[in-house]
């Protein structure tokens, strides 16, 4: 199966996109929880967010080890959970959210590395 080449410009754009996506994910994660009916599966939201972050990281840092990228994404997810655990925000830390983040990150990294190659 031919793999998609990633030119340098696309790598730079992915790095910029990752920064914006990570900031957005962090802001949404620390906003106070709004009471109301739960209409979505929180773990799917976490996994999907970190899947996208992992795809951007894998394209943006093509020469970095998949393990290093996974550790960095896991640390980011852990930071979010630690901040959510602070009493200031009215949020609760849930370590199962971190597990969902890790699963999404692993899937994104593996898939992106499998279908892309450096240009």
């Amino acid at each position: 199966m031919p793999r998609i080449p990633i030119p340098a410009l696309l790598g730079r754009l992915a790095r910029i996109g990752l920064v914006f996506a990570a900031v957005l994910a962090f802001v949404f994660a620390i906003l106070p929880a709004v009471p109301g009916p739960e209409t979505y599966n929180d773990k799917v939201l976490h996994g999907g967010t970190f899947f996208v972050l992992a795809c951007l990281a894998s394209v943006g840092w093509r020469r970095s080890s998949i393990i290093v990228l996974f550790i960095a994404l896991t640390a980011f997810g852990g930071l979010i959970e630690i901040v959510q655990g602070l009493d200031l925000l009215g949020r609760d830390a849930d370590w199962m959210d971190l597990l969902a983040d890790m699963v999404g990150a692993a899937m994104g990294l593996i898939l992106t590395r499998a279908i892309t190659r450096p240009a």
Side-chain angles (χ1 to χ4, degrees):
M1 171 178 165
R3 293 169 44 193
I4 303 166
I6 303 297
L9 176 60
L10 187 56
R12 283 192 291 277
L13 291 174
R15 289 190 292 272
I16 293 168
L18 176 64
V19 170
F20 282 115
V23 168
L24 191 62
F26 187 80
V27 168
F28 279 120
I30 65 170
L31 288 174
V34 179
E38 296 295 324
T39 58
Y40 60 89
N41 184 333
D42 182 52
K43 305 310 177 249
V44 172
L45 183 61
H46 278 267
T49 299
F50 274 77
F51 178 87
V52 171
L53 293 175
C55 291
L56 290 168
S58 185
V59 169
W61 282 273
R62 186 73 199 160
R63 297 179 198 261
S64 295
S65 160
I66 195 171
I67 302 294
V68 169
L69 295 175
F70 179 76
I71 290 169
L73 289 165
T74 299
F76 179 62
L79 173 68
I80 289 173
E81 293 308 318
I82 289 168
V83 172
Q84 284 182 341
L86 300 175
D87 289 333
L88 309 168
L89 302 175
R91 304 286 303 246
D92 293 320
D94 182 356
W95 299 110
M96 292 305 289
D97 287 349
L98 179 59
L99 180 60
D101 297 345
M102 293 168 70
V103 169
M107 290 173 55
L109 290 168
I110 291 167
L111 178 67
T112 305
R113 288 292 167 97
I115 67 171
T116 62
R117 66 174 174 79

